[in-house]
Amino acid sequence: MATLGQRRATIVAMEENTLAILDSAEAKDTQDANDDRIAYLNAVRLASILADSPSPPTNKMAEAVFQILRVGKSLESIMESFRLLNELENCYPPAYVSNMDTSGSPILVVVEEAWSPFGFGSDVARSGKEPAAEIPLGPIDASGFHLLIQGLVEVADEANFQALDLKAIRRMLLFQYIVNALKGDFVPRNCVYKDTMNWNLLRESLLNMLLGSRRIIYKNLMKDCLSIMCGFQISNNFECSENPEAASGDDTALAIAVLEARKSTCIAMQKLLTIIMELDMSKNKAEMQGCTTRADGVRTPLVEIILDELTYDQDMLSQFLQNHLQVFTEPKWKLEIILRYFSKYTAKPSVHTRRSNGCTDDVTFNGVLRRLMDSTSSRNIIKKISTEVVQLLVAHAFQAHLSRSCQNFDGINDSDEVKATPLTEICKNLVSAFRSLRRMDEKMDILPFAKEALFTAATILSPKS
């Protein structure tokens, strides 16, 4: 086992190698340079993860690994640096929850000296949407993050995966790592916030500082994220027509890497949007309790931005129904988005206050089903929304509600509606709602996904189940 002195000597030697790595980051793409980068990554992994007594990497060492990801000249160095960064994030989290409090309450532990890929310094407002450009090397700030998102929009718009290169893969993997870092900082903070209601914990989160920066136009950023979600949906037709196995050698590896990176980037975007919606929910609670100040600013909740895009962009609505509700695998948010969409086309309560925390019937799934069961209400809804869209929304909402019911059975659900409304009642009302739709539109064909929902409901209602 290495002594403390030996470990220090190793760190000093690696620091010297780090300077060489940073100085040669823009070196030509030579095999020797690539071999040096791979050897460096292996050395960091050995010292910080695989050693008998591993030590966290210094800030310079972590910065060098981060820089290899951003400027790597080979697929191997890019993938290895990405993997190492995530391993280091897991081994040495910059924030975590501890039960060190004498009362047993969770407390947040923030490792102040931990390296971070972010740097939020001056916060000068940007004037309009600037064209996409290269992200400056160094810590990622708010404007650099938006430049990364704009670059991903270009990647998502590229129909031919064979036209994508290492630069595109670097962008996608950089985004995935940034999201992992944002989530790693936000989740423990939000966990402790729910227990303590201390808004300062979330006010100082990386995610809140990023979204609250005046260097970005928040709505444009969110719309770009939704565009990426649309563009990165990989259909079976795409995978069949663009078969990477038809290529050979390095081209085959690059093609497979592009396809996998697109899928992983789409999942990472889901994670990002999910934690943003979680932050919005926590901020709303803090506002109702008077814990926020004018310095926290006003930000349109992401759910409202999504609903506006779905309302006014029929192409996005179609893609969202076909793909995004499958991508939003978190039942809580899938159901929330659908119910909020229905609420735009149903009668609103006569009185609705900002601090109201009651749940009215029209924003619950059972409430939506009851409205569809009523002939007058159902007729008004399908005048504004086609029966096909209504079918898909209801079927997806049922799928999400069913998932939440299973979570409630396991004791991990906090949904009041799931606890209050028997599943059998939901199933009966689902069948009745579809009967009502058929009465309104006798020529309506039941869509395959809706048939699956009806079959599931009928199975649950069956005496044999």
Side-chain angles (χ1 to χ4, degrees):
M1 181 178 296
T3 64
L4 179 60
Q6 289 173 328
R7 290 201 298 271
R8 287 178 177 175
T10 301
I11 293 296
V12 170
M14 293 189 66
E15 286 276 9
E16 295 175 353
N17 290 335
T18 296
L19 296 176
I21 290 291
L22 293 173
D23 291 339
S24 64
E26 298 295 338
K28 294 183 178 180
D29 184 15
T30 64
Q31 186 60 45
D32 288 341
N34 182 61
D35 290 343
D36 288 342
R37 296 185 186 106
I38 297 298
Y40 181 78
L41 296 175
N42 290 335
V44 174
R45 177 177 284 107
L46 179 62
S48 299
I49 298 176
L50 301 179
D52 293 334
S53 300
S55 302
T58 64
N59 288 353
K60 287 184 179 180
M61 291 163 59
E63 174 65 25
V65 177
F66 187 52
Q67 191 149 312
I68 292 174
L69 170 62
R70 301 177 66 179
V71 300
K73 303 299 192 300
S74 72
L75 181 60
E76 182 183 14
S77 64
I78 296 171
M79 298 297 293
E80 283 300 309
S81 57
F82 171 72
R83 186 162 70 96
L84 179 56
L85 284 170
N86 285 294
E87 290 174 350
L88 293 173
E89 185 81 17
N90 292 332
C91 290
Y92 307 103
Y96 59 91
V97 178
S98 174
N99 292 319
M100 295 172 59
D101 194 338
T102 55
S103 64
S105 299
I107 62 173
L108 179 71
V109 178
V110 178
V111 184
E112 299 293 345
E113 65 273 14
W115 176 81
S116 172
F118 301 98
F120 301 112
S122 60
D123 203 22
V124 180
R126 294 176 60 195
S127 56
K129 184 175 180 178
E130 301 173 3
E134 288 299 319
I135 307 170
L137 292 178
I140 299 289
D141 60 6
S143 58
F145 181 76
H146 201 172
L147 288 175
L148 174 60
I149 294 295
Q150 290 174 351
L152 289 178
V153 172
E154 297 177 359
V155 175
D157 288 341
E158 180 56 65
N160 181 9
F161 82 94
Q162 292 177 336
L164 299 177
D165 54 13
L166 286 177
K167 181 179 179 180
I169 294 179
R170 282 201 302 263
R171 286 177 177 174
M172 290 187 279
L173 295 184
L174 175 60
F175 172 74
Q176 291 175 40
Y177 170 66
I178 290 298
V179 170
N180 287 340
L182 288 172
K183 184 177 180 180
D185 174 75
F186 172 78
V187 169
R189 290 177 180 272
N190 198 41
C191 177
V192 178
Y193 167 76
K194 290 178 180 179
D195 188 78
T196 64
M197 300 306 295
N198 180 0
W199 169 244
N200 285 330
L201 299 178
L202 290 180
R203 176 186 283 129
E204 298 170 357
S205 68
L206 295 172
L207 182 64
N208 188 62
M209 290 190 288
L210 173 66
L211 300 180
S213 172
R214 292 180 297 169
R215 303 189 69 182
I216 62 172
I217 301 177
Y218 171 72
K219 283 192 175 181
N220 287 347
L221 176 65
M222 294 299 99
K223 290 178 180 180
D224 284 343
C225 288
L226 293 175
S227 297
I228 293 169
M229 289 281 286
C230 289
F232 274 28
Q233 293 298 327
I234 303 176
S235 66
N236 291 331
N237 291 334
F238 177 87
E239 290 184 290
C240 292
S241 61
E242 303 288 2
N243 183 8
E245 298 298 336
S248 60
D250 294 338
D251 291 338
T252 300
L254 180 60
I256 294 175
V258 167
L259 287 174
E260 291 302 318
R262 286 170 66 104
K263 294 177 183 178
S264 299
T265 300
C266 192
I267 294 173
M269 184 60 73
Q270 176 194 347
K271 293 179 181 179
L272 175 63
L273 298 182
T274 298
I275 61 175
I276 291 174
M277 291 187 288
E278 292 284 356
L279 175 61
D280 290 341
M281 177 178 288
S282 295
K283 185 177 182 182
N284 182 57
K285 291 180 180 178
E287 288 174 345
M288 290 191 294
Q289 294 184 351
C291 298
T292 59
T293 66
R294 294 182 61 183
D296 289 304
V298 178
R299 187 171 66 244
T300 304
L302 176 56
V303 171
E304 293 184 14
I305 296 176
I306 293 175
L307 291 173
D308 286 343
E309 291 297 297
L310 297 182
T311 302
Y312 300 110
D313 189 335
Q314 291 300 311
D315 290 337
M316 179 171 287
L317 175 62
S318 176
Q319 292 171 326
F320 196 92
L321 289 174
Q322 294 176 14
N323 299 314
H324 286 54
L325 288 177
Q326 299 286 3
V327 172
F328 269 102
T329 54
E330 173 56 50
K332 170 183 174 181
W333 290 111
K334 176 188 284 191
L335 190 58
E336 175 73 11
I337 291 171
I338 295 173
L339 296 183
R340 293 283 292 275
Y341 187 86
F342 269 119
S343 71
K344 295 172 72 71
Y345 299 98
T346 56
K348 304 298 188 299
S350 57
V351 178
H352 183 73
T353 62
R354 175 174 177 255
R355 293 178 181 269
S356 173
N357 56 9
C359 185
T360 56
D361 187 55
D362 68 310
V363 293
T364 65
F365 183 42
N366 201 34
V368 168
L369 294 177
R370 288 182 179 278
R371 289 182 179 278
L372 291 174
M373 290 162 57
D374 179 78
S375 57
T376 301
S377 178
S378 178
R379 186 179 293 108
N380 290 333
I381 291 174
I382 63 177
K383 281 182 180 179
K384 302 170 185 176
I385 314 175
S386 68
T387 54
E388 290 80 5
V389 171
V390 172
Q391 286 187 63
L392 288 172
L393 288 172
V394 171
H396 277 292
F398 178 67
Q399 181 191 63
H401 184 89
L402 197 61
S403 297
R404 302 207 76 190
S405 298
C406 294
Q407 291 176 345
N408 188 57
F409 180 78
D410 293 334
I412 57 175
N413 203 328
D414 59 354
S415 171
D416 292 335
E417 181 186 10
V418 170
K419 295 176 181 178
T421 308
L423 183 58
T424 53
E425 180 180 342
I426 293 290
C427 293
K428 289 178 182 178
N429 290 344
L430 177 74
V431 175
S432 298
F434 272 90
R435 286 174 179 166
S436 177
L437 290 174
R438 176 61 66 84
R439 287 195 299 270
M440 295 299 103
D441 184 0
E442 295 180 354
K443 296 181 180 180
M444 181 186 80
D445 291 327
I446 304 295
L447 300 177
F449 190 65
K451 288 181 180 179
E452 293 179 13
L454 287 170
F455 177 79
T456 301
T459 302
I460 293 173
L461 294 172
S462 173
K464 296 180 181 180
S465 60

